[in-house]
Amino acid sequence: MTFTILKEKEFKKFLDNSNEKTFLQTPSIAHLREKEGWTPYYLGVKENNKIICATMIVSKKRHFGKYEFYAPRGFLIDYKNYELLKYFTEEIKKFVKKNNGYIFRIDPYVINIERDIDGNIKENGINNKEIIDNLKRLGYKKEKEEEQVVWMFCLDLDTDEETLLKNMRSFTRRNITKALNNSLRIRELEFNELQTIKDLTDATSERKGFPNRNLKYFERMYEVFKPNNEINNIVCELDTKKYILNKEKEIKEQEKRLEELNKLGAKQEKKDKVLKDIDKLKEEKKEVETLRKEKGDFITLSGGVFITYGDEIIYLFGGNYKEYMHFASPYMVQWEMITRGLKNNKKYRRYNFYGIPKNINTHPEGYGIYDFKKGYTGYVEELIGEYSYKTSIVYDIMKLIKLIRK
């Protein structure tokens, strides 16, 4: 075995064919990190001139002139192959020391324990305790705080639209139908329109109380992933003109029905129900007529940023405006990307709703996020988390400083 610095192209080829592939290990992310002040490297091990494991790793200067190294979702390796993991770890340790580093961190794209839709451990399911034991045996320390998502909600795409809709929670299915009938449209944003996504995510982050990314981040994500068509910035808009015309049509249909009931001498109870429906349709029409005067022909309701790399579609960011939630547009956004995956499920193995709160059964805060995603059916996936390997006493000093500042 030979430890080597890889060229970007050969690393990318290995990544694309790896079982552990993830967008966070792509050269695209390396280029994004580079714009944020990190220096990327591609490291690997070759045997008989063939790459057998690799990682993209980035470094950034911290205190005391020392560097932090981080392999986002790294490594691309068989973690159960202890001897290979040991060799790669030792060689990276030498590489980090040589480049004045004090630590390197990894957060493998590896399941901890297999779970069901409710977050419960599945009997006889996947259990990667062996991998965790291997990491600890080599000197890796589990970090309490993680940079990346650890708990996710996922949906396998080995089905069809009809079956998936049938298996969904009735509330979710009704909202998808409502969204499809609400004169909404999905539109892909261009680079110069990314402020729209920023505004949507700002509105949601303020409402939910979590930090948001700046516009430059959304622009850089677009720049590095769009050339390979691996990112979708989509918005769901209300077509106000179409909505009003549809409501007028529905009102006429209900008025015609009322006339028929009158001719048949139907009970007042039946006629009252139709009258109530007509009043509701008129109210909905009036609301959107007012919105059209204020906002124009198309009104942005919600949107999302999706990564389409490897064999999964990832819902990375999303946002919506609270005052328009009754149009059910977030369901339209998700359904749009899910159906794209279903139509191309030979390529995309699963749809990843991404982050949910940790330990959902014991931590109710943020439960609504999980509950929304759960409605589509699927399962909870918990990764093994983040591990660090110190290569200098500076690591301990940094920990102490952080503790004192708290």
Side-chain angles (χ1 to χ4, degrees):
M1 292 189 293
T2 306
F3 178 78
T4 183
I5 297 176
L6 303 171
K7 293 178 181 178
E8 183 179 306
K9 284 186 178 180
E10 63 177 338
F11 170 79
K12 181 66 162 57
K13 185 178 179 180
F14 178 79
L15 168 69
D16 289 342
N17 292 284
S18 170
N19 291 329
E20 293 80 27
K21 61 179 169 285
T22 160
F23 82 98
L24 285 168
Q25 269 286 292
T26 59
S28 296
I29 287 292
H31 297 156
L32 176 67
R33 290 269 182 172
E34 200 167 12
K35 291 178 180 181
E36 295 174 343
W38 296 77
T39 302
Y41 304 91
Y42 305 101
L43 309 176
V45 175
K46 289 184 178 181
E47 191 171 64
N48 298 322
N49 208 33
K50 180 182 178 182
I51 302 173
I52 57 174
C53 69
T55 193
M56 181 272 285
I57 192 167
V58 292
S59 72
K60 195 170 190 178
K61 195 173 186 179
R62 298 301 187 190
H63 296 289
F64 311 110
K66 291 285 187 178
Y67 289 78
E68 171 192 4
F69 282 75
Y70 172 46
R73 287 287 189 255
F75 306 134
L76 307 173
I77 192 173
D78 177 2
Y79 284 91
K80 292 184 179 180
N81 186 335
Y82 181 78
E83 292 305 319
L84 179 59
L85 180 61
K86 180 181 179 181
Y87 177 78
F88 200 32
T89 296
E90 289 300 319
E91 292 300 320
I92 289 180
K93 180 181 177 181
K94 293 175 189 175
F95 178 86
V96 169
K97 280 187 172 182
K98 182 180 178 182
N99 287 277
N100 208 23
Y102 68 93
I103 186 179
F104 66 89
R105 298 183 291 117
I106 62 173
D107 41 25
Y109 208 25
V110 172
I111 294 172
N112 181 16
I113 300 173
E114 190 173 1
R115 297 178 180 273
D116 62 17
I117 190 170
D118 298 311
N120 299 315
I121 296 173
K122 291 185 72 172
E123 188 176 354
N124 301 318
I126 297 169
N127 187 327
N128 280 315
K129 183 177 182 299
E130 178 187 349
I131 290 174
I132 294 171
D133 288 344
N134 282 346
L135 290 171
K136 290 180 178 179
R137 185 178 166 192
L138 288 170
Y140 288 90
K141 301 296 182 183
K142 181 75 169 65
E143 291 290 340
K144 292 181 179 179
E145 297 179 5
E146 296 97 0
E147 182 168 340
Q148 305 298 339
V149 166
V150 174
W151 287 70
M152 309 182 296
F153 193 83
C154 304
L155 172 67
D156 288 336
L157 297 175
D158 56 347
T159 185
D160 54 61
E161 288 185 26
E162 184 180 352
T163 304
L164 182 57
L165 280 167
K166 184 180 178 181
N167 291 334
M168 284 181 189
R169 194 164 56 186
S170 58
F171 179 80
T172 302
R173 187 167 56 248
R174 285 198 303 271
N175 273 295
I176 290 172
T177 302
K178 180 180 179 180
L180 291 171
N181 294 329
N182 255 345
S183 304
L184 307 182
R185 72 170 187 178
I186 295 292
R187 188 169 67 84
E188 188 90 21
L189 297 179
E190 300 295 333
F191 178 82
N192 61 0
E193 298 178 290
L194 294 179
Q195 182 64 50
T196 303
I197 283 288
K198 176 68 167 61
D199 292 342
L200 282 165
T201 52
D202 274 346
T204 303
S205 65
E206 288 170 13
R207 191 167 71 247
K208 300 289 187 180
F210 59 81
N212 190 25
R213 302 281 189 169
N214 57 35
L215 177 61
K216 185 60 68 177
Y217 178 84
F218 291 100
E219 290 176 340
R220 286 170 175 169
M221 285 290 287
Y222 186 101
E223 289 169 343
V224 298
F225 281 105
K226 198 61 178 178
N228 293 322
N229 292 316
E230 292 172 346
I231 192 168
N232 295 96
N233 293 272
I234 66 171
V235 290
C236 184
E237 299 174 328
L238 172 65
D239 184 334
T240 57
K241 184 178 180 181
K242 186 177 179 181
Y243 184 96
I244 292 167
L245 289 173
N246 284 340
K247 290 301 172 184
E248 288 174 349
K249 182 181 177 181
E250 289 180 56
I251 291 168
K252 286 180 181 178
E253 288 173 351
Q254 291 299 316
E255 288 175 339
K256 185 178 179 180
R257 186 184 174 198
L258 183 61
E259 287 178 11
E260 291 173 351
L261 288 173
N262 284 326
K263 287 178 183 179
L264 293 169
K267 291 182 178 180
Q268 190 61 41
E269 184 180 337
K270 283 189 176 181
K271 291 189 283 186
D272 286 344
K273 185 179 183 306
V274 176
L275 284 167
K276 187 177 179 181
D277 289 341
I278 291 171
D279 287 341
K280 184 181 178 183
L281 288 168
K282 286 181 177 179
E283 286 177 12
E284 291 170 343
K285 175 175 172 280
K286 185 178 179 181
E287 177 199 4
V288 175
E289 284 175 335
T290 302
L291 284 173
R292 191 179 182 207
K293 289 178 183 178
E294 296 174 355
K295 307 286 185 178
D297 290 341
F298 296 97
I299 301 172
T300 301
L301 310 179
S302 60
V305 180
F306 299 83
I307 296 293
T308 53
Y309 171 73
D311 57 2
E312 69 178 347
I313 297 172
I314 293 180
Y315 173 44
L316 196 60
F317 299 107
N320 53 72
Y321 294 119
K322 186 178 181 180
E323 61 266 35
Y324 301 135
M325 290 292 283
H326 57 290
F327 291 106
S329 61
Y331 292 89
M332 182 87 160
V333 170
Q334 297 300 324
W335 186 239
E336 171 69 21
M337 294 305 294
I338 288 171
T339 51
R340 289 187 193 184
L342 289 171
K343 290 171 184 175
N344 197 7
N345 62 11
K346 288 184 179 179
K347 178 179 180 181
Y348 298 116
R349 175 178 60 87
R350 70 175 184 176
Y351 184 86
N352 192 337
F353 287 93
Y354 222 40
I356 59 173
K358 291 183 181 180
N359 304 314
I360 51 177
N361 294 323
T362 54
H363 289 76
E365 64 271 14
Y367 182 86
I369 296 171
Y370 157 68
D371 196 48
F372 169 75
K373 297 174 181 181
K374 180 183 178 182
Y376 292 85
T377 72
Y379 52 91
V380 172
E381 189 161 283
E382 177 201 3
L383 303 180
I384 65 173
E386 183 172 311
Y387 288 81
S388 62
Y389 195 110
K390 71 173 183 179
T391 57
S392 168
I393 195 173
V394 170
Y395 172 80
D396 298 307
I397 297 172
M398 295 284 285
K399 282 278 187 180
L400 181 60
I401 292 173
K402 189 174 181 180
L403 186 63
I404 292 171
R405 285 178 175 174
K406 284 184 177 180

